[in-house]
Amino acid sequence: MENNLKNRNRDPNCPVRSVLDRIGDKWAVLVITTLGEEGTMRFNQLHETIGDISQKMLTVTLKKLQEDGLVSRRMYQEIPPRVEYTLTDTGVTLVPLLNALAEWANANMKVIKKSRSVYAEVS
């Protein structure tokens, strides 16, 4: 089984590679977890909540997440136009996994920092 998984992961069409390529960047993770915590948000709310993301990068990230069916976009015919973003049902299923990764990172950060320090001294 393990060998089979290794071979599949080398395939450029591998689902794991495809998903990690998309959600593996920090902005996608922050958008998903923010929408998971806050629920439906307008673009500017999302931008302000995340803080250090540029408007262009937020736009690109939201489009990619929409393309993958993780985020939905709803535009209201108002003046000025109102656009809201929310996680899809599929996006919601990703939130606990990302939260578990965040918990793991918090629990192991001291060890990771120490290892990085030791590695920097040796290198």
Side-chain angles (χ1 to χ4, degrees):
M1 175 89 169
E2 185 176 321
N3 240 356
N4 192 15
L5 183 60
K6 286 180 184 177
N7 290 335
R8 256 194 2 229
N9 288 339
R10 291 184 185 140
D11 177 2
N13 297 318
C14 171
V16 174
R17 289 177 85 166
S18 177
V19 169
L20 286 178
D21 182 50
R22 187 55 56 95
I23 64 160
D25 85 58
K26 69 178 178 180
W27 300 123
V29 170
L30 288 172
V31 167
I32 292 166
T33 56
T34 300
L35 289 173
E37 290 173 10
E38 302 292 329
T40 300
M41 297 179 81
R42 295 176 74 170
F43 183 91
N44 285 335
Q45 292 174 306
L46 195 52
H47 184 254
E48 289 171 14
T49 301
I50 293 174
D52 55 345
I53 187 171
S54 70
Q55 288 188 348
K56 179 178 179 174
M57 185 53 65
L58 180 56
T59 299
V60 168
T61 301
L62 286 166
K63 285 182 180 181
K64 288 180 179 180
L65 293 173
Q66 288 173 71
E67 179 183 351
D68 283 351
L70 300 174
V71 169
S72 66
R73 177 182 189 267
R74 183 169 181 196
M75 185 170 176
Y76 296 87
Q77 297 300 322
E78 301 172 352
I79 297 179
R82 178 170 51 116
V83 178
E84 293 180 340
Y85 297 90
T86 191
L87 290 178
T88 63
D89 290 343
T90 304
V92 168
T93 65
L94 188 54
V95 173
L97 303 172
L98 294 176
N99 286 340
L101 179 60
E103 288 174 22
W104 179 89
N106 286 328
N108 290 283
M109 201 63 228
K110 285 183 182 178
V111 173
I112 291 169
K113 283 183 176 181
K114 182 173 181 167
S115 180
R116 288 176 181 171
S117 176
V118 168
Y119 183 84
E121 289 174 12
V122 173
S123 296

